[in-house]
Tab-separated table of all heavy atoms in Angstrom:
chain	number	residue	atom	x	y	z
A	46	LEU	N	8.369	27.359	32.936
A	46	LEU	CA	7.038	26.949	32.501
A	46	LEU	C	6.070	28.111	32.445
A	46	LEU	O	5.243	28.219	31.516
A	46	LEU	CB	6.466	25.881	33.451
A	46	LEU	CG	7.169	24.488	33.366
A	46	LEU	CD1	6.631	23.575	34.443
A	46	LEU	CD2	7.034	23.896	31.979
A	47	ARG	N	6.148	29.019	33.396
A	47	ARG	CA	5.305	30.197	33.397
A	47	ARG	C	5.581	31.048	32.159
A	47	ARG	O	4.650	31.565	31.483
A	47	ARG	CB	5.523	31.022	34.671
A	47	ARG	CG	4.533	32.118	34.882
A	47	ARG	CD	4.652	32.780	36.223
A	47	ARG	NE	4.512	31.845	37.343
A	47	ARG	CZ	3.352	31.370	37.764
A	47	ARG	NH1	2.231	31.683	37.136
A	47	ARG	NH2	3.302	30.537	38.792
A	48	ALA	N	6.824	31.217	31.818
A	48	ALA	CA	7.230	32.016	30.610
A	48	ALA	C	6.727	31.318	29.356
A	48	ALA	O	6.218	31.984	28.419
A	48	ALA	CB	8.721	32.218	30.587
A	49	ILE	N	6.900	30.025	29.257
A	49	ILE	CA	6.465	29.249	28.087
A	49	ILE	C	4.939	29.372	27.943
A	49	ILE	O	4.427	29.621	26.857
A	49	ILE	CB	6.876	27.760	28.199
A	49	ILE	CG1	8.368	27.655	27.999
A	49	ILE	CG2	6.098	26.897	27.184
A	49	ILE	CD1	8.921	26.315	28.367
A	50	ARG	N	4.237	29.238	29.069
A	50	ARG	CA	2.764	29.349	29.048
A	50	ARG	C	2.316	30.722	28.542
A	50	ARG	O	1.434	30.851	27.722
A	50	ARG	CB	2.240	29.094	30.417
A	50	ARG	CG	0.730	28.838	30.372
A	50	ARG	CD	0.027	29.631	31.490
A	50	ARG	NE	-1.383	29.374	31.431
A	50	ARG	CZ	-2.226	30.023	30.661
A	50	ARG	NH1	-1.820	30.957	29.850
A	50	ARG	NH2	-3.534	29.700	30.640
A	51	ALA	N	2.982	31.793	29.037
A	51	ALA	CA	2.667	33.142	28.607
A	51	ALA	C	2.871	33.328	27.057
A	51	ALA	O	2.024	33.880	26.401
A	51	ALA	CB	3.429	34.156	29.398
A	52	LYS	N	3.992	32.842	26.584
A	52	LYS	CA	4.309	32.963	25.145
A	52	LYS	C	3.276	32.189	24.325
A	52	LYS	O	2.764	32.690	23.312
A	52	LYS	CB	5.705	32.422	24.844
A	52	LYS	CG	6.821	33.303	25.251
A	52	LYS	CD	8.126	32.632	24.786
A	52	LYS	CE	9.332	33.273	25.398
A	52	LYS	NZ	10.570	32.605	25.093
A	53	ALA	N	2.988	30.957	24.739
A	53	ALA	CA	2.060	30.165	23.959
A	53	ALA	C	0.649	30.744	24.014
A	53	ALA	O	-0.048	30.709	22.999
A	53	ALA	CB	2.047	28.705	24.532
A	54	ALA	N	0.229	31.215	25.172
A	54	ALA	CA	-1.147	31.784	25.306
A	54	ALA	C	-1.311	32.999	24.423
A	54	ALA	O	-2.409	33.272	23.943
A	54	ALA	CB	-1.427	32.109	26.766
A	55	SER	N	-0.217	33.739	24.165
A	55	SER	CA	-0.349	34.971	23.345
A	55	SER	C	-0.036	34.712	21.877
A	55	SER	O	-0.094	35.614	21.079
A	55	SER	CB	0.600	36.052	23.890
A	55	SER	OG	1.936	35.667	23.757
A	56	SER	N	0.256	33.428	21.537
A	56	SER	CA	0.615	33.082	20.141
A	56	SER	C	-0.641	32.595	19.426
A	56	SER	O	-1.250	31.626	19.839
A	56	SER	CB	1.715	32.060	20.168
A	56	SER	OG	2.119	31.744	18.819
A	57	ALA	N	-0.979	33.231	18.333
A	57	ALA	CA	-2.163	32.832	17.561
A	57	ALA	C	-2.042	31.398	17.073
A	57	ALA	O	-0.988	30.963	16.617
A	57	ALA	CB	-2.335	33.738	16.336
A	58	GLY	N	-3.105	30.631	17.281
A	58	GLY	CA	-3.161	29.252	16.812
A	58	GLY	C	-2.601	28.225	17.752
A	58	GLY	O	-2.557	27.078	17.452
A	59	CYS	N	-2.162	28.716	18.974
A	59	CYS	CA	-1.638	27.756	19.973
A	59	CYS	C	-2.683	27.500	21.054
A	59	CYS	O	-3.418	28.397	21.400
A	59	CYS	CB	-0.378	28.304	20.597
A	59	CYS	SG	1.069	28.138	19.574
A	60	PHE	N	-2.712	26.278	21.506
A	60	PHE	CA	-3.581	25.892	22.608
A	60	PHE	C	-2.690	25.535	23.772
A	60	PHE	O	-1.661	24.823	23.567
A	60	PHE	CB	-4.435	24.694	22.209
A	60	PHE	CG	-5.155	24.078	23.393
A	60	PHE	CD1	-6.330	24.667	23.871
A	60	PHE	CD2	-4.692	22.919	24.022
A	60	PHE	CE1	-6.994	24.103	24.986
A	60	PHE	CE2	-5.352	22.339	25.053
A	60	PHE	CZ	-6.505	22.970	25.568
A	61	VAL	N	-2.998	25.980	24.958
A	61	VAL	CA	-2.167	25.678	26.159
A	61	VAL	C	-3.004	24.817	27.128
A	61	VAL	O	-4.164	25.144	27.438
A	61	VAL	CB	-1.769	26.963	26.872
A	61	VAL	CG1	-0.919	26.688	28.064
A	61	VAL	CG2	-1.035	27.875	25.929
A	62	ALA	N	-2.436	23.721	27.550
A	62	ALA	CA	-3.057	22.869	28.547
A	62	ALA	C	-2.286	22.980	29.850
A	62	ALA	O	-1.140	22.533	29.942
A	62	ALA	CB	-3.072	21.418	28.081
A	63	ASP	N	-2.859	23.662	30.849
A	63	ASP	CA	-2.181	23.828	32.119
A	63	ASP	C	-2.263	22.534	32.896
A	63	ASP	O	-3.296	21.831	32.963
A	63	ASP	CB	-2.884	24.908	32.914
A	63	ASP	CG	-2.772	26.284	32.304
A	63	ASP	OD1	-1.804	26.488	31.554
A	63	ASP	OD2	-3.583	27.139	32.558
A	64	MET	N	-1.139	22.216	33.559
A	64	MET	CA	-1.083	21.017	34.431
A	64	MET	C	-0.512	21.490	35.775
A	64	MET	O	0.712	21.467	35.970
A	64	MET	CB	-0.176	19.981	33.784
A	64	MET	CG	-0.745	19.477	32.451
A	64	MET	SD	0.437	18.382	31.659
A	64	MET	CE	0.137	18.800	29.942
A	65	PRO	N	-1.382	22.005	36.633
A	65	PRO	CA	-0.921	22.551	37.912
A	65	PRO	C	-0.401	21.474	38.887
A	65	PRO	O	-0.850	20.300	38.832
A	65	PRO	CB	-2.122	23.239	38.510
A	65	PRO	CG	-3.296	22.668	37.767
A	65	PRO	CD	-2.829	22.128	36.477
A	66	ALA	N	0.556	21.839	39.702
A	66	ALA	CA	1.099	20.879	40.693
A	66	ALA	C	0.015	20.385	41.608
A	66	ALA	O	0.046	19.229	41.984
A	66	ALA	CB	2.201	21.573	41.494
A	67	ALA	N	-0.963	21.205	41.949
A	67	ALA	CA	-2.052	20.753	42.828
A	67	ALA	C	-2.791	19.557	42.277
A	67	ALA	O	-3.242	18.692	43.028
A	67	ALA	CB	-3.032	21.921	43.079
A	68	ALA	N	-2.915	19.476	40.939
A	68	ALA	CA	-3.571	18.338	40.324
A	68	ALA	C	-2.792	17.064	40.508
A	68	ALA	O	-3.325	15.954	40.544
A	68	ALA	CB	-3.812	18.629	38.865
A	69	GLN	N	-1.458	17.193	40.624
A	69	GLN	CA	-0.615	15.991	40.815
A	69	GLN	C	-0.618	15.531	42.255
A	69	GLN	O	-0.219	14.436	42.567
A	69	GLN	CB	0.816	16.320	40.360
A	69	GLN	CG	0.906	16.677	38.901
A	69	GLN	CD	0.456	15.524	38.020
A	69	GLN	OE1	0.833	14.369	38.207
A	69	GLN	NE2	-0.402	15.859	37.052
A	70	GLN	N	-0.992	16.441	43.171
A	70	GLN	CA	-0.890	16.133	44.594
A	70	GLN	C	-2.236	15.736	45.190
A	70	GLN	O	-2.344	15.419	46.369
A	70	GLN	CB	-0.373	17.357	45.350
A	70	GLN	CG	0.973	17.776	44.847
A	70	GLN	CD	1.334	19.219	45.268
A	70	GLN	OE1	0.506	19.950	45.761
A	70	GLN	NE2	2.590	19.572	45.019
Side-chain angles (χ1 to χ4, degrees):
L46 290 175
R47 189 173 301 285
I49 288 168
R50 194 225 181 275
K52 283 182 193 176
S55 66
S56 183
C59 283
F60 170 78
V61 181
D63 295 335
M64 299 173 214
Q69 298 299 312
Q70 301 162 351

